[in-house]
Amino acid sequence: MRIRVAGFIEIDGEILLMHRKNVKPTPNTTKPYGEYYVFPGGGKEESDKTLQETAEREILEELGITVKAGNIIYERKVEGEFEEYVLKCRYISGEFGSGNGPEFSNDPEYIDRGDYIPEKINKKDIENIRLFPDEFKEKLLKDLKNNKI
């Protein structure tokens, strides 16, 4: 079963997201395609002891920044298929946009996955973007409206 771990990082009123462009449809899956945003993150590896370690490693690879991962703020599970978690993270150091993970390496495995573009999105603009999955976007908008995050 796949476990995906991502981070919610806010710096100066902007949320750090991964903008995905030119993503090709994948047969027999419900994965999104086209253009959309996701919280930065990726798959939990055997060497990761905790969800926090996964989030910190993946965010460093994708965004080029060091964060301290905290509690789970969003989660979704499909029994026997996958689990996905978003952890609240605090920026520690590093240059945003300097990630060097495999998604930036021209690895043939990533050709159909489209472009990965780290972006900062103002909190007030979240409602105007396609943030995947929809249920995380709904929860985020509710939390932003209620000043919970």
Side-chain angles (χ1 to χ4, degrees), residues 18 36 49 51 55 61 66 98 139 148:
M18 186 59 72
Y36 58 92
K49 293 184 177 86
L51 297 177
E61 286 178 8
T66 301
S98 64
K139 290 176 182 180
K148 284 188 166 184

Side-chain angles (χ1 to χ4, degrees), residues 31-81:
K31 289 186 177 184
Y33 59 91
E35 181 175 341
Y36 58 92
Y37 291 82
V38 293
F39 290 105
K44 186 173 186 301
E45 297 177 356
E46 286 185 33
S47 60
D48 297 327
K49 293 184 177 86
T50 65
L51 297 177
Q52 286 78 8
E53 284 183 12
T54 302
E56 291 168 2
R57 176 182 52 75
E58 285 287 340
I59 290 165
L60 181 60
E61 286 178 8
E62 290 191 358
L63 303 182
I65 62 172
T66 301
V67 298
K68 178 66 176 165
N71 295 330
I72 296 168
I73 57 172
Y74 308 128
E75 66 180 85
R76 69 183 186 130
K77 299 177 183 180
V78 174
E79 191 66 37
E81 290 185 38

Side-chain angles (χ1 to χ4, degrees), residues 30 32 35-39 74 76 84 126-127 129-142:
T30 58
E35 181 175 341
Y36 58 92
Y37 291 82
V38 293
F39 290 105
Y74 308 128
R76 69 183 186 130
E84 184 171 11
I126 293 296
E127 65 184 297
I129 65 170
R130 181 180 177 206
L131 178 62
F132 186 80
D134 294 334
E135 64 193 78
F136 286 177
K137 179 179 179 178
E138 290 170 14
K139 290 176 182 180
L140 176 60
L141 287 172
K142 182 178 177 184

Side-chain angles (χ1 to χ4, degrees), residues 2-132:
R2 177 165 160 71
I3 299 174
R4 182 178 188 276
V5 184
F8 170 88
I9 310 123
E10 180 187 346
I11 299 175
D12 299 327
E14 295 181 306
I15 298 171
L16 309 186
L17 297 172
M18 186 59 72
H19 191 172
R20 302 291 310 280
K21 288 186 173 183
N22 305 312
V23 180
K24 296 181 182 172
T26 307
N28 303 319
T29 72
T30 58
K31 289 186 177 184
Y33 59 91
E35 181 175 341
Y36 58 92
Y37 291 82
V38 293
F39 290 105
K44 186 173 186 301
E45 297 177 356
E46 286 185 33
S47 60
D48 297 327
K49 293 184 177 86
T50 65
L51 297 177
Q52 286 78 8
E53 284 183 12
T54 302
E56 291 168 2
R57 176 182 52 75
E58 285 287 340
I59 290 165
L60 181 60
E61 286 178 8
E62 290 191 358
L63 303 182
I65 62 172
T66 301
V67 298
K68 178 66 176 165
N71 295 330
I72 296 168
I73 57 172
Y74 308 128
E75 66 180 85
R76 69 183 186 130
K77 299 177 183 180
V78 174
E79 191 66 37
E81 290 185 38
F82 71 87
E83 296 177 5
E84 184 171 11
Y85 303 93
V86 177
L87 282 63
K88 184 150 186 188
C89 297
R90 182 174 45 88
Y91 170 80
I92 303 292
S93 65
E95 181 183 342
F96 175 75
S98 64
N100 61 1
E103 46 281 283
F104 305 111
S105 69
N106 295 322
D107 182 330
E109 180 182 337
Y110 288 85
I111 288 175
D112 290 340
R113 295 186 188 186
D115 303 316
Y116 291 75
I117 305 162
E119 288 189 18
K120 297 176 182 178
I121 304 294
N122 191 293
K123 290 194 291 190
K124 65 180 174 47
D125 295 328
I126 293 296
E127 65 184 297
N128 300 319
I129 65 170
R130 181 180 177 206
L131 178 62
F132 186 80

